[in-house]
Each structure stands twice: as structure tokens, then as C-alpha cells.
Amino acid sequence: MSSVPAETKPTAPASKPRILIADDSRIVRTSLTQHIRDRFDIREVVDGEAAWQAILLDSAIRVVITDLAMPKVDGFELITRVRSSKVQRVRELPVIVITSADETTERERASALGATDFLDRSITTAELTARLEVLVRLSTTREALQETQATLESARTVDPETELLALAFFDKQVEKLVSYARRNLSDVALISVRVELSSNTPQQSEAELDQRAKLVGRALAASIRLEDFGTRTDRLEFCVATQSTGLSGVLRFAARLRKVLENVDAAGPGVEVWTCIGVATLSEELRRGAEELRQLACKRAQQAQSAHTRRIILGAAEGVAVGAYEGRPDDGSMDINLALALIRAGRAPEVVPHLPRLLEQISPLLKLVRQQRELQESGSETAGNAKLQGVPR
């Protein structure tokens, strides 16, 4: 067999399935093409490497017909690459091997590697066409099944109405985030947002209200970062999970979400959006799982709604007075940066319940300050004693 440059074929109508023929013999390629060109679109290559590149790049190829003895990459290696591919479309591609009846050893080896069928060079047009049509149907059916599976998988993971994650999938992703945070001593925050809608229309129909809620969900989906997760937990309730580097950052994020959702266009023209927000963090209780954190954040958002407060509820305790800064002194919901910001803003009373926790946080710093003072005082005393040496008393 001689090495001849591959022929260029004109693009066939879309209705014709594409067959790839890999053989360095021009005569063999021409013979096969004459048999099947009326029923199939033919693409020809002259070696295994060119065949492999065509398979990777051309998703329209339905069946591969290959010789075993080819330059660069032979047929055995080509079959091996196809069957070991990480791409399902490539891995399941039907591969027909061109052999002679007496090449028993080659057939057995190719079969062991994953060849689909074998083709004798003396095959008739009718038989070749029939075999190819069966394999094309098999390949097309497999592809359709893959697309259906992908659609079903997408439906299980993403809510098409809001473009947010489906609730069950959201909990799974957050559980991974929580596990990562525990291993790396970091934090995770869940922000629950309950939405109230009002419009100039005296009464909104259920269908209209549901449509407005979907628009709010899409506005939320468009506003969160790629590394964050969002879901719809109830008709007018949403939840976002994010990695946390401190409560002050989480509050800024929650405030940004509120600003986005209360935009005049979030639920459509003429509709006003009011948000009630609750936050739960992993650092409050490291034993909590993803679902428990989400439920806790939702409970706090519901408390904010019941109290008609604009404040973001954190570490809510039962029986806390309406309008108070929600939290227990030991719940970890206050960090130093937030405390300083509240004090500078004239809201020091909100920091007072958290002073024990804050003192615990800064105790290493206070200890270091005391040590440095002691060293300085000790150094000053030593220097003073040195000056007194040699002075008569």
C-alpha cells in the first residue's frame, strides 16, 4: 500500500450519515466509496493519526472503517485510542476493520481491542450498505440517549424556571463546601432571602405572582458569583451559599443581594420587591450539615419577616426583642471588624452582648501587647542600672 495524500470531499447534505474511511491505499478507498457514496457522506484519510484527529474534531462521523497496516498510527493503535477515550461519543464509536479472511491472528487482536465488525475486501455493495446502516442507527440512537440523559441530568441539577440549582443538588454542593471548610479551617455562610412583592394592581393572580417570583430568582442567579450556589427553597424564598472570610464580608454580600433584588426591574415593571434576610454560618456550630445550615438561615429570614425588620438576622435566639441585633454572646456571629464598624457608626450597644466572645478573639493580641510592654520595661530598667554602675554611692 502506498501513501497518498487524503482526498478532499465536498460537503454532503445533512441527511447523509458520515463515514470515515482510513486506509493508505487509494484503490481501497475508491472501491469502498463507490459502494456507499449514494447512501453516505464519505470522509477519507490516509493514516491512523489523521483518522484520530478527524474523530476528535468531527462529531458528525457515525462509523469508522479502518485498515490495520497504516503509517504513523496503525489500526490497532487507532482502536485502542478510540476505546480508551474519555469522551463518550468517541469511546462508543463503531469501528469496522478491513481484513482478509485468512488474517485470523489480526482479527482476534483487533476484536480484543474493541473492533465492532470486520470487512472483507470482496464484500458486496448490498451487504456493506446494510451493515453500515445498522451501525449508523446504533450510533445515532446512542447519541440521542446521551442527549436525553444530559437533559434529564440538567433538569435534576438546575431549575429552568429560575436558572438556580435544584434544591437537592444545592444541598449536595453545599455539603462539599462544608467538608472543604472543615478541612481547611475556613467558614461557610448561607444567606436566606424571603421576598414580598407589591404592585399597583389590587390583586395579583396566582400565575402572575408565580411569574414575578421566577423573575426574582433569575435576577438572583445572574447576580451571584460562579463560585457561589443559589437555590429556590420556597415559592418566595431563596438561599445562597458562599465561602466566608468574616461576617462583615457576608453582610456586605447580603446587602448587595438585597440591592439587586429590590431593583425596580427584578420582578418586572410596576412591582416592588421587599426582602427579609437571615444568615447562618458554619463557625456557629461546626457539627451542622448543609441542610441544617440552610434551614437555620431560612428560619432567621422568617423571623425577620415576622418582625418586619430590615435588619439581617444573625445567630437568632428564641425570644429576642424585635429590632434588637440578633445573636448570643458566644455564638460567633460577631467579628472584630464588624464590632469596630458598629462602634464607629454609633451602634456600640449592639456590640455589648458580644464582648465576651470578642475578648476571647483578641486575647492572644492582648497577651502579646503585655509581653512587649514587659520586655520594654525590663530593657529600660537594665539600661538604667548600667548607667548607675561606677557611680559612688
Side-chain angles (χ1 to χ4, degrees):
M1 297 183 178
S2 59
S3 179
V4 180
E7 296 181 3
T8 302
K9 290 287 180 181
T11 303
S15 58
K16 287 187 176 182
R18 183 166 298 166
I19 307 296
L20 176 66
I21 300 176
D23 199 308
D24 58 344
S25 168
R26 185 187 183 92
I27 296 173
V28 172
R29 295 199 312 273
T30 301
S31 176
L32 289 172
T33 300
Q34 288 176 345
H35 280 298
I36 61 177
R37 63 186 177 189
D38 292 336
R39 303 290 294 272
F40 302 99
D41 172 30
I42 312 300
R43 179 168 179 175
E44 300 178 23
V45 292
V46 299
D47 59 65
E49 181 61 37
W52 175 241
Q53 295 302 320
I55 291 169
L56 291 178
L57 299 175
D58 189 350
S59 60
I61 293 173
R62 290 289 176 264
V63 179
V64 177
I65 300 176
T66 181
D67 188 23
L68 292 176
M70 293 185 293
K72 296 184 181 180
V73 171
D74 62 22
F76 298 111
E77 174 63 21
L78 178 61
I79 298 171
T80 301
R81 290 186 185 184
V82 168
R83 294 295 175 246
S84 61
S85 174
K86 295 180 179 180
V87 180
Q88 187 175 0
R89 171 188 66 83
V90 174
R91 190 171 59 250
E92 296 181 350
L93 199 61
V95 179
I96 300 178
V97 175
I98 305 171
T99 61
S100 300
D102 57 347
E103 295 176 337
T104 305
T105 303
E106 288 79 358
R107 281 177 176 249
E108 291 177 353
R109 181 183 172 190
S111 180
L113 292 174
T116 308
D117 199 358
F118 295 92
L119 177 65
D120 190 276
R121 291 180 176 83
S122 60
I123 192 170
T124 63
T125 300
E127 183 181 357
L128 176 57
T129 301
R131 286 196 198 179
L132 288 175
E133 286 180 344
V134 169
L135 292 177
V136 164
R137 283 197 297 271
L138 173 63
S139 180
T140 303
T141 301
R142 281 178 176 171
E143 187 174 273
L145 179 60
Q146 291 171 21
E147 291 178 356
T148 301
Q149 290 173 336
T151 301
L152 291 173
E153 184 64 26
S154 177
R156 286 194 294 267
T157 59
V158 178
D159 175 12
E161 294 183 341
T162 63
E163 299 178 359
L164 293 166
L165 296 182
L167 183 57
F169 187 68
F170 172 85
D171 283 341
K172 288 182 180 179
Q173 295 302 106
V174 176
E175 197 62 60
K176 294 178 183 178
L177 204 61
V178 167
S179 298
Y180 176 84
R182 289 197 185 105
R183 291 195 305 270
N184 293 275
L185 302 178
S186 56
D187 201 1
V188 174
L190 274 81
I191 303 170
S192 178
V193 183
R194 290 187 66 83
V195 173
E196 295 179 356
L197 303 177
S198 61
S199 68
N200 299 327
T201 306
Q203 289 185 339
Q204 297 185 73
S205 67
E206 292 296 307
E208 182 182 1
L209 185 64
D210 197 44
Q211 183 61 31
R212 300 297 187 188
K214 292 173 186 176
L215 291 176
V216 173
R218 290 181 182 179
L220 179 65
S223 66
I224 62 176
R225 303 169 300 182
L226 292 175
E227 61 267 31
D228 299 327
F229 305 114
T231 190
R232 185 181 186 182
T233 49
D234 201 352
R235 186 181 192 182
L236 291 171
E237 183 181 75
F238 305 90
C239 193
V240 174
T242 182
Q243 289 183 306
S244 169
T245 56
L247 195 60
S248 56
V250 173
L251 291 178
R252 286 194 297 270
F253 184 28
R256 183 173 68 83
L257 293 179
R258 165 172 280 162
K259 184 177 180 181
V260 169
L261 297 184
E262 293 187 353
N263 182 285
V264 291
D265 294 327
V271 180
E272 183 181 353
V273 180
W274 178 276
T275 56
C276 303
I277 300 177
V279 173
T281 60
L282 178 63
S283 58
E284 294 179 52
E285 175 54 70
L286 292 175
R287 290 173 296 180
R288 287 194 177 108
E291 186 176 356
E292 190 177 2
L293 281 172
R294 172 175 57 77
Q295 291 173 348
L296 183 58
C298 292
K299 179 181 178 181
R300 292 172 181 172
Q302 291 166 7
Q303 289 175 336
Q305 188 176 39
S306 299
H308 303 289
T309 178
R310 296 282 289 166
R311 292 192 178 181
I312 297 170
I313 304 299
L314 306 159
E318 299 297 336
V320 175
V322 173
Y325 185 90
E326 304 289 343
R328 296 188 300 271
D330 60 346
D331 70 357
S333 62
M334 176 78 70
D335 63 16
I336 295 298
N337 291 330
L338 178 58
L340 293 175
L342 290 172
I343 293 170
R344 285 193 292 267
R347 296 167 60 182
E350 297 177 16
V351 180
V352 173
H354 300 272
L355 288 178
R357 175 73 176 179
L358 294 170
L359 286 173
E360 182 182 343
Q361 291 180 21
I362 65 172
S363 60
L365 178 61
L366 295 176
K367 182 178 180 180
L368 179 61
V369 170
R370 286 195 299 268
Q371 289 175 348
Q372 291 301 308
R373 280 184 178 176
E374 291 172 359
L375 288 174
Q376 289 175 358
E377 291 173 358
S378 176
S380 299
E381 185 177 348
T382 302
N385 290 336
K387 290 180 180 178
L388 291 175
Q389 288 181 4
V391 178
R393 301 190 178 188

